[in-house]
Amino acid sequence: MIEFLARENMFKGYLQCDGFAGYESAFKTSLDVSLVNCMAHIRRKFEYALEQDKTNSEYALSKIQQLYRIEKECDKGELSAEERKERRQKEAKPIMVETKGWLEQIAMKYGSSTLLGKAAGYAYVRWDNMMRYLDDGRIKIDNNLAENEMRPITLGRKNYLFCGNHEATENMCVI
């Protein structure tokens, strides 16, 4: 379905998304669409692993925090897309490369039997897609803005189930 919609609309460019495997399978052979994953989703997995392995989880979170700090400084300095790209290449890329090596070691060491292993595996599989944000200053480090815009629709979808009747549901949708 996703691939069909992209073909029908002749979409070309970057598609920033969460880690849903359907995106990867739909676009893995596409030359026109480059997937960029979301650092907030990657970060969240390490937050879940904190209580099981605080040291390693905090290490991952500190690396991610460094990346967000670079983004915040770029925002504060109102850098152009090209300036942001240069800054990312200089400062964020070494962090990303170092973290990828660490993720590989942790994923192999812990496997998927622990929360840390699951977090590292999730991040490692998506890391190459995530690194694409380094190559274009227009791309955000996460897709939080898009997700925040969709949240009312998602919440509404569940709430509309309890409107009472069809007419009430239609009225709620209008509101």
PDB file of all heavy atoms in Angstrom, residues 122-137:
ATOM      1  N   TYR A 122      17.675  -2.562  17.363  1.00  0.00           N
ATOM      2  CA  TYR A 122      16.747  -1.641  16.693  1.00  0.00           C
ATOM      3  C   TYR A 122      17.512  -0.474  16.093  1.00  0.00           C
ATOM      4  O   TYR A 122      17.322  -0.109  14.933  1.00  0.00           O
ATOM      5  CB  TYR A 122      15.714  -1.138  17.707  1.00  0.00           C
ATOM      6  CG  TYR A 122      14.723  -0.145  17.154  1.00  0.00           C
ATOM      7  CD1 TYR A 122      13.524  -0.581  16.610  1.00  0.00           C
ATOM      8  CD2 TYR A 122      14.974   1.229  17.198  1.00  0.00           C
ATOM      9  CE1 TYR A 122      12.594   0.329  16.112  1.00  0.00           C
ATOM     10  CE2 TYR A 122      14.069   2.136  16.696  1.00  0.00           C
ATOM     11  CZ  TYR A 122      12.872   1.685  16.165  1.00  0.00           C
ATOM     12  OH  TYR A 122      11.965   2.591  15.661  1.00  0.00           O
ATOM     13  N   ALA A 123      18.405   0.112  16.877  1.00  0.00           N
ATOM     14  CA  ALA A 123      19.174   1.267  16.413  1.00  0.00           C
ATOM     15  C   ALA A 123      20.137   0.878  15.300  1.00  0.00           C
ATOM     16  O   ALA A 123      20.238   1.575  14.286  1.00  0.00           O
ATOM     17  CB  ALA A 123      19.947   1.882  17.581  1.00  0.00           C
ATOM     18  N   TYR A 124      20.822  -0.238  15.458  1.00  0.00           N
ATOM     19  CA  TYR A 124      21.840  -0.638  14.483  1.00  0.00           C
ATOM     20  C   TYR A 124      21.230  -0.883  13.101  1.00  0.00           C
ATOM     21  O   TYR A 124      21.786  -0.443  12.095  1.00  0.00           O
ATOM     22  CB  TYR A 124      22.575  -1.890  14.963  1.00  0.00           C
ATOM     23  CG  TYR A 124      23.690  -2.281  14.030  1.00  0.00           C
ATOM     24  CD1 TYR A 124      24.890  -1.578  14.023  1.00  0.00           C
ATOM     25  CD2 TYR A 124      23.538  -3.330  13.133  1.00  0.00           C
ATOM     26  CE1 TYR A 124      25.910  -1.913  13.157  1.00  0.00           C
ATOM     27  CE2 TYR A 124      24.552  -3.669  12.263  1.00  0.00           C
ATOM     28  CZ  TYR A 124      25.735  -2.958  12.276  1.00  0.00           C
ATOM     29  OH  TYR A 124      26.746  -3.292  11.406  1.00  0.00           O
ATOM     30  N   VAL A 125      20.097  -1.550  13.071  1.00  0.00           N
ATOM     31  CA  VAL A 125      19.437  -1.850  11.792  1.00  0.00           C
ATOM     32  C   VAL A 125      19.027  -0.564  11.074  1.00  0.00           C
ATOM     33  O   VAL A 125      19.038  -0.493   9.852  1.00  0.00           O
ATOM     34  CB  VAL A 125      18.210  -2.769  12.028  1.00  0.00           C
ATOM     35  CG1 VAL A 125      17.328  -2.854  10.805  1.00  0.00           C
ATOM     36  CG2 VAL A 125      18.671  -4.149  12.454  1.00  0.00           C
ATOM     37  N   ARG A 126      18.714   0.479  11.816  1.00  0.00           N
ATOM     38  CA  ARG A 126      18.229   1.738  11.244  1.00  0.00           C
ATOM     39  C   ARG A 126      19.311   2.814  11.131  1.00  0.00           C
ATOM     40  O   ARG A 126      19.057   3.897  10.631  1.00  0.00           O
ATOM     41  CB  ARG A 126      17.061   2.251  12.088  1.00  0.00           C
ATOM     42  CG  ARG A 126      15.836   1.370  11.921  1.00  0.00           C
ATOM     43  CD  ARG A 126      14.885   1.435  13.107  1.00  0.00           C
ATOM     44  NE  ARG A 126      13.773   0.529  12.897  1.00  0.00           N
ATOM     45  CZ  ARG A 126      13.810  -0.761  13.169  1.00  0.00           C
ATOM     46  NH1 ARG A 126      14.901  -1.319  13.651  1.00  0.00           N
ATOM     47  NH2 ARG A 126      12.746  -1.524  12.945  1.00  0.00           N
ATOM     48  N   TRP A 127      20.504   2.513  11.598  1.00  0.00           N
ATOM     49  CA  TRP A 127      21.551   3.532  11.719  1.00  0.00           C
ATOM     50  C   TRP A 127      21.980   4.113  10.370  1.00  0.00           C
ATOM     51  O   TRP A 127      22.183   5.317  10.251  1.00  0.00           O
ATOM     52  CB  TRP A 127      22.751   2.984  12.483  1.00  0.00           C
ATOM     53  CG  TRP A 127      23.497   4.066  13.192  1.00  0.00           C
ATOM     54  CD1 TRP A 127      24.707   4.586  12.847  1.00  0.00           C
ATOM     55  CD2 TRP A 127      23.075   4.792  14.355  1.00  0.00           C
ATOM     56  NE1 TRP A 127      25.075   5.572  13.724  1.00  0.00           N
ATOM     57  CE2 TRP A 127      24.076   5.716  14.669  1.00  0.00           C
ATOM     58  CE3 TRP A 127      21.943   4.745  15.167  1.00  0.00           C
ATOM     59  CZ2 TRP A 127      23.997   6.590  15.751  1.00  0.00           C
ATOM     60  CZ3 TRP A 127      21.864   5.604  16.240  1.00  0.00           C
ATOM     61  CH2 TRP A 127      22.878   6.513  16.520  1.00  0.00           C
ATOM     62  N   ASP A 128      22.134   3.279   9.356  1.00  0.00           N
ATOM     63  CA  ASP A 128      22.534   3.806   8.042  1.00  0.00           C
ATOM     64  C   ASP A 128      21.483   4.769   7.503  1.00  0.00           C
ATOM     65  O   ASP A 128      21.827   5.816   6.954  1.00  0.00           O
ATOM     66  CB  ASP A 128      22.794   2.672   7.047  1.00  0.00           C
ATOM     67  CG  ASP A 128      24.085   1.925   7.354  1.00  0.00           C
ATOM     68  OD1 ASP A 128      24.961   2.486   8.043  1.00  0.00           O
ATOM     69  OD2 ASP A 128      24.212   0.772   6.904  1.00  0.00           O
ATOM     70  N   ASN A 129      20.211   4.424   7.665  1.00  0.00           N
ATOM     71  CA  ASN A 129      19.142   5.343   7.261  1.00  0.00           C
ATOM     72  C   ASN A 129      19.201   6.622   8.085  1.00  0.00           C
ATOM     73  O   ASN A 129      18.994   7.720   7.568  1.00  0.00           O
ATOM     74  CB  ASN A 129      17.767   4.709   7.433  1.00  0.00           C
ATOM     75  CG  ASN A 129      17.470   3.644   6.404  1.00  0.00           C
ATOM     76  OD1 ASN A 129      18.192   3.474   5.432  1.00  0.00           O
ATOM     77  ND2 ASN A 129      16.403   2.915   6.628  1.00  0.00           N
ATOM     78  N   MET A 130      19.490   6.472   9.373  1.00  0.00           N
ATOM     79  CA  MET A 130      19.550   7.636  10.260  1.00  0.00           C
ATOM     80  C   MET A 130      20.692   8.559   9.858  1.00  0.00           C
ATOM     81  O   MET A 130      20.573   9.782   9.938  1.00  0.00           O
ATOM     82  CB  MET A 130      19.722   7.147  11.707  1.00  0.00           C
ATOM     83  CG  MET A 130      19.535   8.197  12.759  1.00  0.00           C
ATOM     84  SD  MET A 130      17.879   8.881  12.790  1.00  0.00           S
ATOM     85  CE  MET A 130      18.246  10.594  12.491  1.00  0.00           C
ATOM     86  N   MET A 131      21.783   7.994   9.382  1.00  0.00           N
ATOM     87  CA  MET A 131      22.953   8.800   9.021  1.00  0.00           C
ATOM     88  C   MET A 131      22.680   9.703   7.811  1.00  0.00           C
ATOM     89  O   MET A 131      23.419  10.659   7.582  1.00  0.00           O
ATOM     90  CB  MET A 131      24.168   7.911   8.776  1.00  0.00           C
ATOM     91  CG  MET A 131      24.713   7.348  10.087  1.00  0.00           C
ATOM     92  SD  MET A 131      26.246   6.433   9.923  1.00  0.00           S
ATOM     93  CE  MET A 131      27.405   7.749   9.624  1.00  0.00           C
ATOM     94  N   ARG A 132      21.627   9.456   7.088  1.00  0.00           N
ATOM     95  CA  ARG A 132      21.308  10.298   5.934  1.00  0.00           C
ATOM     96  C   ARG A 132      20.973  11.735   6.332  1.00  0.00           C
ATOM     97  O   ARG A 132      21.101  12.642   5.519  1.00  0.00           O
ATOM     98  CB  ARG A 132      20.154   9.693   5.138  1.00  0.00           C
ATOM     99  CG  ARG A 132      20.547   8.443   4.405  1.00  0.00           C
ATOM    100  CD  ARG A 132      19.434   7.966   3.490  1.00  0.00           C
ATOM    101  NE  ARG A 132      19.897   6.777   2.789  1.00  0.00           N
ATOM    102  CZ  ARG A 132      19.225   5.637   2.748  1.00  0.00           C
ATOM    103  NH1 ARG A 132      18.050   5.527   3.345  1.00  0.00           N
ATOM    104  NH2 ARG A 132      19.721   4.603   2.093  1.00  0.00           N
ATOM    105  N   TYR A 133      20.557  11.929   7.575  1.00  0.00           N
ATOM    106  CA  TYR A 133      20.247  13.300   7.998  1.00  0.00           C
ATOM    107  C   TYR A 133      21.495  14.175   7.975  1.00  0.00           C
ATOM    108  O   TYR A 133      21.414  15.393   7.880  1.00  0.00           O
ATOM    109  CB  TYR A 133      19.555  13.315   9.370  1.00  0.00           C
ATOM    110  CG  TYR A 133      20.456  13.571  10.558  1.00  0.00           C
ATOM    111  CD1 TYR A 133      20.519  14.833  11.137  1.00  0.00           C
ATOM    112  CD2 TYR A 133      21.243  12.565  11.099  1.00  0.00           C
ATOM    113  CE1 TYR A 133      21.337  15.079  12.233  1.00  0.00           C
ATOM    114  CE2 TYR A 133      22.058  12.802  12.188  1.00  0.00           C
ATOM    115  CZ  TYR A 133      22.110  14.062  12.755  1.00  0.00           C
ATOM    116  OH  TYR A 133      22.919  14.306  13.825  1.00  0.00           O
ATOM    117  N   LEU A 134      22.661  13.541   8.030  1.00  0.00           N
ATOM    118  CA  LEU A 134      23.924  14.283   7.993  1.00  0.00           C
ATOM    119  C   LEU A 134      24.172  14.939   6.642  1.00  0.00           C
ATOM    120  O   LEU A 134      24.903  15.916   6.554  1.00  0.00           O
ATOM    121  CB  LEU A 134      25.104  13.337   8.291  1.00  0.00           C
ATOM    122  CG  LEU A 134      25.112  12.636   9.644  1.00  0.00           C
ATOM    123  CD1 LEU A 134      26.186  11.552   9.660  1.00  0.00           C
ATOM    124  CD2 LEU A 134      25.304  13.625  10.771  1.00  0.00           C
ATOM    125  N   ASP A 135      23.572  14.400   5.593  1.00  0.00           N
ATOM    126  CA  ASP A 135      23.869  14.820   4.221  1.00  0.00           C
ATOM    127  C   ASP A 135      22.991  15.936   3.686  1.00  0.00           C
ATOM    128  O   ASP A 135      23.200  16.399   2.564  1.00  0.00           O
ATOM    129  CB  ASP A 135      23.776  13.615   3.282  1.00  0.00           C
ATOM    130  CG  ASP A 135      24.779  12.538   3.657  1.00  0.00           C
ATOM    131  OD1 ASP A 135      25.870  12.895   4.133  1.00  0.00           O
ATOM    132  OD2 ASP A 135      24.466  11.343   3.486  1.00  0.00           O
ATOM    133  N   ASP A 136      21.990  16.345   4.452  1.00  0.00           N
ATOM    134  CA  ASP A 136      21.086  17.391   3.977  1.00  0.00           C
ATOM    135  C   ASP A 136      20.602  18.195   5.184  1.00  0.00           C
ATOM    136  O   ASP A 136      19.913  17.661   6.056  1.00  0.00           O
ATOM    137  CB  ASP A 136      19.896  16.760   3.240  1.00  0.00           C
ATOM    138  CG  ASP A 136      19.051  17.777   2.500  1.00  0.00           C
ATOM    139  OD1 ASP A 136      18.899  18.920   2.992  1.00  0.00           O
ATOM    140  OD2 ASP A 136      18.524  17.445   1.434  1.00  0.00           O
ATOM    141  N   GLY A 137      20.955  19.446   5.223  1.00  0.00           N
ATOM    142  CA  GLY A 137      20.613  20.307   6.359  1.00  0.00           C
ATOM    143  C   GLY A 137      19.129  20.580   6.510  1.00  0.00           C
ATOM    144  O   GLY A 137      18.701  21.110   7.525  1.00  0.00           O
TER     145      GLY A 137
END
